[in-house]
Amino acid sequence: MRIERVELRRIRTPMRFRFETSFGEETQKETILVSVHADGLAGYGESTAMSRPVYNEETTSTVWYVLERFLIPLLFSREISHPDEVSELFAPIRRHFMAKAALEGAVWDLWAKRQGIPLARALGGEKTAIDVGVSIGIEPTVEQVLRHVDRFLSEGYKKIKVKIKPGFDVKVIESIRKEFGDGVPLMADANSAYTLEHIDVMKELDQYGLIMIEQPLAHDDIIDHAKLQRELTTPICLDESIHTVEDARKALELESCRIINIKVGRVGGLTPARKIHDLCLERGIPVWCGGMLEMGVGRAHNIAVTSLPGFTIPGDTSASSRYFERDITIPAIELSAPGTLAIPDGPGIGYDLDEERVRRITVDHAVFRRPH
């Protein structure tokens, strides 16, 4: 497969509401949309980097720079017979996982379209639908969180994830349990906001029957998480600490966690995501697909990877309408049944790009052509 052209678009659109985590708050979505072109077909990828380097070191601006200066030239340097080769091609570039994932995902979509098969099947998935959950940000009051939980349970979401931080943690979890009972599939996401000095808070959370506590300690830690996991009944899930299959292997050998959140952008693409999935499946460790407030293209990639058998916990890929008045795909990502997303059966990601919408929210655009 000889990639003829790559297009980058920086797009920006307001979100329907303020979304707060321990990193800060988001009120608009800015992302890089990538398209790769060959033989009259286009494949699409979406960067999951934020506009500020608070989740990891990448931003939308660094993603654009690395794509333009390094990754696109590498992609033009050879023909691709299978998308797995893209990760190998990008290996000399250290980290910059979200930039790599955006371009690699677009190649996967294009390759699947050329084969005439859904991206999910190209990856080896066999599911026809996936269960999904929803993520609730930090709110000014516990009562507002309870209202969100009530609404999302009524919409059938299969897992409730609540963001926590020091001072907004035990009370909110306790209140959810009192209001809705122990049967609600509930987890807490700390986004690295705690240290081992907060072990008493973690032990208090341990009594509420949570599915997991996600990334309570430092973003680059697997040592202290192992110490904490030994003190808790609740499984710890690692997110920010896992970037490669080697990170996952070491964390599992140290018993730093009992669950891993696989984010395609964080680990550098669909091929690395599948490798981490395969390792966890072999070790009997459940995985799930986390979200980065993606728009429709990124959500479509999440749906595809979640079709793999090891994804047994509902992910964060809720309906587009949760975050955006209008998405960039046709159709928008919507629930096919309460708490369920159908896996598209069309070629590639299975969604068309809403080109008029994309043009309207584009703030920067560049085209790169393969040198002759």
Side-chain angles (χ1 to χ4, degrees):
M1 185 167 64
R2 183 179 173 87
I3 305 299
E4 301 161 358
R5 185 173 88 251
V6 177
E7 292 191 34
L8 302 182
R9 288 182 180 270
R10 188 194 302 260
I11 57 178
R12 188 181 300 143
T13 189
M15 294 175 59
R16 294 186 66 181
F17 58 89
R18 176 189 62 85
F19 189 84
E20 183 178 344
T21 71
S22 60
F23 299 137
E25 64 176 44
E26 298 291 319
T27 58
Q28 67 175 7
K29 177 64 179 179
E30 179 180 280
T31 190
I32 307 297
L33 183 66
V34 180
S35 62
V36 296
H37 302 258
D39 303 323
L41 295 173
Y44 299 103
E46 178 184 329
S47 166
T48 58
M50 301 171 70
S51 57
R52 299 173 297 137
V54 291
Y55 174 81
N56 66 357
E57 72 280 6
E58 292 183 83
T59 69
T60 48
S61 294
T62 67
V63 164
W64 186 291
Y65 176 80
V66 170
L67 285 168
E68 178 178 357
R69 290 292 303 275
F70 302 104
L71 300 182
I72 292 173
L74 277 173
L75 188 63
F76 285 151
S77 69
R78 55 175 281 190
E79 294 191 15
I80 303 296
S81 59
H82 190 278
D84 285 340
E85 299 169 12
V86 177
S87 294
E88 300 169 9
L89 189 62
F90 293 166
I93 306 300
R94 298 287 179 90
R95 297 184 67 87
H96 293 286
F97 297 111
M98 290 179 172
K100 292 176 180 178
L103 187 52
E104 187 246 27
V107 174
W108 264 106
D109 182 33
L110 176 63
W111 186 84
K113 287 172 176 171
R114 283 169 54 92
Q115 304 302 309
I117 59 175
L119 177 59
R121 187 147 62 88
L123 290 167
E126 297 181 353
K127 300 174 189 173
T128 58
I130 58 171
D131 290 338
V132 294
V134 69
S135 179
I136 299 173
I138 294 167
E139 297 287 354
T141 67
V142 172
E143 288 70 27
Q144 286 175 269
V145 173
L146 295 177
R147 286 197 292 272
H148 288 314
V149 173
D150 185 53
R151 175 161 67 92
F152 294 130
L153 288 176
S154 71
E155 293 175 5
Y157 281 103
K158 304 294 178 65
K159 183 192 74 182
I160 301 294
K161 179 168 90 170
V162 178
K163 298 285 187 177
I164 62 172
K165 66 179 181 179
F168 191 85
D169 38 43
V170 175
K171 183 171 175 54
V172 67
I173 297 299
E174 178 186 38
S175 298
I176 293 170
R177 284 294 186 228
K178 284 184 176 178
E179 183 75 17
F180 301 102
D182 294 337
V184 172
L186 181 64
M187 63 169 285
D189 182 8
N191 288 121
S192 311
Y194 297 82
T195 70
L196 286 179
E197 293 181 0
H198 297 96
I199 194 165
D200 289 342
V201 173
M202 296 294 110
K203 288 184 174 181
E204 283 192 73
L205 292 173
D206 205 25
Q207 66 183 303
Y208 292 108
L210 299 176
I211 301 171
M212 69 189 88
I213 301 172
E214 184 178 2
Q215 197 74 33
L217 307 179
H219 70 95
D220 55 356
D221 171 73
I222 57 174
I223 302 298
D224 285 351
H225 278 101
K227 295 177 183 178
L228 179 60
Q229 182 67 91
R230 288 194 290 269
E231 300 294 322
L232 301 179
T233 301
T234 304
I236 288 175
C237 169
L238 288 183
D239 173 2
E240 290 96 324
S241 296
I242 307 299
H243 297 94
T244 66
V245 69
E246 276 298 290
D247 290 342
R249 180 187 64 79
K250 292 169 184 174
L252 296 182
E253 290 190 5
L254 290 171
E255 299 183 351
S256 306
C257 63
R258 296 177 191 155
I259 298 171
I260 288 180
N261 170 353
I262 297 178
K263 290 178 178 172
V264 176
R266 190 193 72 234
V267 303
L270 291 166
T271 296
R274 188 172 59 183
K275 288 180 179 179
I276 295 171
H277 161 274
D278 292 349
L279 171 71
C280 290
L281 189 64
E282 178 186 326
R283 301 284 182 92
I285 299 296
V287 300
W288 59 284
C289 183
M292 292 290 292
L293 306 179
E294 292 94 343
M295 301 196 76
V297 171
R299 286 171 189 270
H301 284 269
N302 288 349
I303 293 170
V305 78
T306 305
S307 70
L308 294 170
F311 286 86
T312 56
I313 299 172
D316 283 348
T317 307
S318 52
S320 298
S321 56
R322 160 99 170 101
Y323 299 104
F324 309 109
E325 292 290 347
R326 182 177 171 187
D327 207 343
I328 60 171
T329 56
I330 301 173
I333 312 295
E334 298 296 346
L335 299 180
S336 56
T340 302
L341 283 169
I343 295 175
D345 55 9
I349 61 173
Y351 294 86
D352 293 325
L353 197 67
D354 186 341
E355 295 184 3
E356 186 274 330
R357 174 62 173 164
V358 169
R359 283 194 296 270
R360 181 170 295 185
I361 62 175
T362 293
V363 295
D364 201 359
H365 177 222
V367 179
F368 306 91
R369 301 184 187 278
R370 188 186 196 97
H372 294 294

